[in-house]
Amino acid sequence: MSTIEERLARDIEAVTGGIVVTDSDLRDARNQVQQRISGRQQRHRRRGVVAAAAAAAVVVGVATWQSLGSDDETLSPTEPVPTPTSTSLSAADQTFLVGDAPTAEELAGVWRLDNPTVSRMLFMFTADGSFSYDDTGQLSADPMVHGTFVVDGDTISVDVDGGTAACAGRTLSLRAAMAAGGGLHIVPVGLGDFDCDRPFRPQWALERVLPGGMGGLEAPAEAVWRPVTGPEVVVATWLDPQGEYVSELRGDGTYTVLTGPGELADLGTWTLSDSSSRLSLTSSGDSPSCQSGDQFVLSNLQATDFGTLVIRGDVARKDCQVLLRAEAWFSLAP
Amino acid sequence: MGEHRDIGRRSSESARAELVDVVFRRHYAALLRLAVVMVGDRGAAEDAVQDAFVSLHRNLRALRDPDAAEAYVRSAVLNRCRSWVRRQATQRAKRPLLLVREGPRRTPEDATLARDEVGSLVAQMRMLPRRQREVLACRFVLELSVAETAALLDIGEGSVKTHTHRGLHALQQGIEVNR
């Protein structure tokens, strides 16, 4: 009777022994690799041309891009946009990026900075390939960066088409790894000393918010609940206790509700009345799930802050089937 | 190894291509076998290995030591096989475990294995937890030592031994259950 080690070794040998790699196979495979390398290089050159053209247009029309300086003014239409910093990874970055390369399917959803202490940055990758990033958690209205993304191996390339960080026309290169425990680690590479460099950090450790990344939230039993003092308390990005809906209440009186992997569930306007004890959300005609004028109203609104701001209330009205719950909303971002 | 270092020092595009070429010629077949064992599908395995070499080309300048190219590409293959397996699970694909080709029965004296389908133990290995199957692949497919396996997977040598033991034990139990 052979040992399990010997039997496994023989079975592996039997399986791999049947894999014949001829000289022709080797040449074909090498050619495939070379074609893919060449394809990448051509794609990068094309991106560079598009980015250069976009940057040139923006330099002409938008004052904020004047600070880009002479580098962009000397761009040739056939040359890629220069990337002043290296795209290589430091030893620390390589250590940070241990894990599987992410797929677009895995990225789809809303992510937040893990254990945020200062910033409440949120990221969103949607199933149809759009990307949003905001340092204050406002993904839907005025994110700092908006664009489209593609995943190639461990690199997420974002072609930026808008956002308050003035990165439009740039292609951001984010090296990423799915970390142990389902987190997402990202290292931006190839970023220069541009305006749009401002929101970026050397490394991001992100945790999933949607879909269903942070369900089961509860305020501690000893939390002291107080009346809401004004709109400044509710202007934030909120997560319901089941982790199914992200509600973004903005200072201009509009709101957006996201669900699933970042799909729009509802949008409209919100008001605070009755001495800030009554929060009303009214769906607009553009809402994909609710009728125009549908209302969701929380009365007896209260808040507590135990390091995370939480609000709760009693459901006084609920016209739409979007399943916002009243137990509590947990702040993801102020 | 010295050849790698000389090429790496030139750090030009042609030198990069040349180094990738050298590593490719030396290791493609072995890496393909590794990938087939890990994913059970030759087409997917070829994709994984080729993708790893594309990644090697892209990241060669980031490697501090050109000699690290072999370790990098091995790790990249394992990484891509892992992603492939996870994608299959995510898509809930009911993919049968594939046998590449029945090789010659090399040990007819082993009556137990002769009764089994060739590749059945490898198929069971693929069902093991990720770390166990990767450790077993390093030890039994790449024939790396405990220390080399630990370095490649970036875990301790004690962990390599533990995962090896657990993986083999699970395979043994699987055989006994199916007997």
Side-chain angles (χ1 to χ4, degrees):
Chain A
M1 181 70 177
S2 59
T3 66
I4 187 66
E5 291 98 323
E6 290 167 342
R7 293 178 62 180
L8 178 60
R10 278 198 296 274
D11 202 31
I12 286 172
E13 192 178 348
V15 168
T16 60
I19 303 169
V20 178
V21 180
T22 64
D23 287 346
S24 172
D25 291 337
L26 205 58
R27 272 196 307 276
D28 289 346
R30 185 71 184 95
N31 287 339
Q32 294 268 354
V33 170
Q34 191 52 49
Q35 282 174 13
R36 290 170 66 177
I37 291 171
S38 302
R40 284 184 58 84
Q41 290 169 337
Q42 284 170 4
R43 279 201 306 278
H44 286 163
R45 275 195 287 272
R46 277 199 300 273
R47 280 188 194 138
V49 170
V50 171
V58 172
V59 164
V60 169
V62 182
T64 54
W65 278 85
Q66 289 176 352
S67 62
L68 287 173
S70 60
D71 280 352
D72 284 70
E73 292 165 12
T74 59
L75 285 173
S76 156
T78 58
E79 290 172 350
V81 170
T83 51
T85 57
S86 169
T87 58
S88 62
L89 294 175
S90 66
D93 287 342
Q94 290 185 44
T95 303
F96 183 68
L97 288 176
V98 170
D100 299 345
T103 64
E105 292 80 13
E106 289 168 331
L107 289 174
V110 174
W111 301 79
R112 75 163 191 166
L113 192 67
D114 200 358
N115 294 319
T117 52
V118 181
S119 168
R120 297 297 179 95
M121 59 175 62
L122 292 180
F123 293 74
M124 182 163 69
F125 299 89
T126 67
D128 63 359
S130 80
F131 170 86
S132 299
Y133 159 88
D134 192 77
D135 211 14
T136 62
Q138 295 201 1
L139 291 172
S140 304
D142 288 312
M144 296 181 86
V145 176
H146 183 270
T148 55
F149 76 96
V150 293
V151 183
D152 187 358
D154 65 354
T155 301
I156 305 167
S157 296
V158 179
D159 288 329
V160 183
D161 55 25
T164 59
C167 301
R170 296 282 170 192
T171 296
L172 307 179
S173 189
L174 311 174
R175 300 285 289 276
M178 300 302 296
L184 174 63
H185 285 189
I186 289 180
V187 173
V189 295
L191 290 168
D193 188 21
F194 303 124
D195 279 358
C196 68
D197 199 12
R198 180 165 47 86
F200 295 102
R201 295 176 172 201
Q203 296 178 340
W204 288 310
L206 307 179
E207 64 178 332
R208 185 184 291 280
V209 177
L210 289 180
M214 296 173 64
L217 296 172
E218 282 184 31
E222 64 273 20
V224 178
W225 295 88
R226 296 190 170 86
V228 169
T229 54
E232 69 280 359
V233 177
V234 298
V235 174
T237 300
W238 305 94
L239 182 67
D240 75 308
Q242 283 70 32
E244 296 174 351
Y245 294 94
V246 167
S247 308
E248 188 179 315
L249 272 62
R250 294 179 285 271
D252 64 358
T254 61
Y255 76 89
T256 307
V257 180
L258 303 172
T259 191
E263 294 160 0
L264 183 64
D266 187 24
L267 77 168
T269 57
W270 65 269
T271 58
L272 205 56
S273 59
D274 295 349
S275 302
S276 300
S277 67
R278 188 179 179 87
L279 175 65
S280 304
L281 277 61
T282 305
S283 301
S284 81
D286 294 326
S287 173
S289 310
C290 303
Q291 299 289 322
S292 176
D294 278 356
Q295 283 204 317
F296 176 81
V297 180
L298 288 179
S299 61
N300 299 320
L301 201 61
Q302 297 176 310
T304 187
D305 191 344
F306 52 91
T308 297
L309 180 64
V310 186
I311 59 173
R312 71 178 183 186
D314 302 324
V315 178
R317 180 170 172 176
K318 184 176 179 181
D319 299 330
C320 180
Q321 290 310 305
V322 170
L323 299 174
L324 288 174
R325 291 177 172 88
E327 296 96 312
W329 293 359
F330 293 77
S331 171
L332 286 173
Chain B
M1 293 290 182
E3 183 182 357
H4 292 187
R5 188 172 289 113
D6 292 342
I7 294 168
R9 279 178 183 153
R10 279 182 252 163
S11 71
S12 63
E13 180 57 36
S14 65
R16 278 206 296 164
E18 198 176 333
L19 175 53
V20 171
D21 217 31
V22 169
V23 179
F24 190 91
R25 284 198 308 272
R26 286 184 182 169
H27 299 289
Y28 177 81
L31 291 170
L32 179 62
R33 292 185 182 107
L34 169 68
V36 167
V37 167
M38 297 302 286
V39 304
D41 178 284
R42 178 158 179 164
E46 287 175 342
D47 278 348
V49 176
Q50 291 171 18
D51 197 35
F53 275 99
V54 173
S55 180
L56 172 66
H57 180 272
R58 187 173 72 232
N59 292 292
L60 210 48
R61 276 184 291 215
L63 297 177
R64 284 173 293 174
D65 180 358
D67 289 342
E70 292 170 21
Y72 178 92
V73 79
R74 277 178 181 156
S75 178
V77 168
L78 285 174
N79 195 10
R80 278 148 183 79
C81 290
R82 203 181 302 143
S83 298
W84 188 89
V85 168
R86 199 175 48 220
R87 275 200 302 277
Q88 296 303 105
T90 302
Q91 295 165 5
R92 301 180 189 281
K94 304 298 183 190
R95 179 184 292 271
L97 296 170
L98 299 178
L99 298 177
V100 178
R101 186 190 301 172
E102 284 213 7
R105 307 273 186 192
R106 292 169 186 242
T107 56
E109 73 279 8
D110 190 330
T112 305
L113 182 57
R115 278 203 311 271
D116 294 340
E117 193 178 17
V118 171
S120 62
L121 211 49
V122 170
Q124 285 182 49
M125 192 184 103
R126 279 185 215 116
M127 307 301 288
L128 294 175
R130 168 192 149 195
R131 198 56 98 183
Q132 289 177 21
R133 68 174 185 263
E134 290 180 356
V135 165
L136 291 181
C138 289
R139 302 282 284 122
F140 289 89
V141 182
L142 295 175
E143 298 182 343
L144 301 180
S145 68
V146 169
E148 289 168 331
T149 301
L152 181 62
L153 298 179
D154 198 21
I155 57 178
E157 293 186 19
S159 293
V160 172
K161 292 174 185 172
T162 301
H163 290 306
T164 303
H165 174 76
R166 288 178 182 165
L168 290 173
H169 183 66
L171 292 179
Q172 181 68 56
Q173 282 190 319
I175 290 172
E176 288 167 2
V177 166
N178 292 327
R179 189 168 282 161

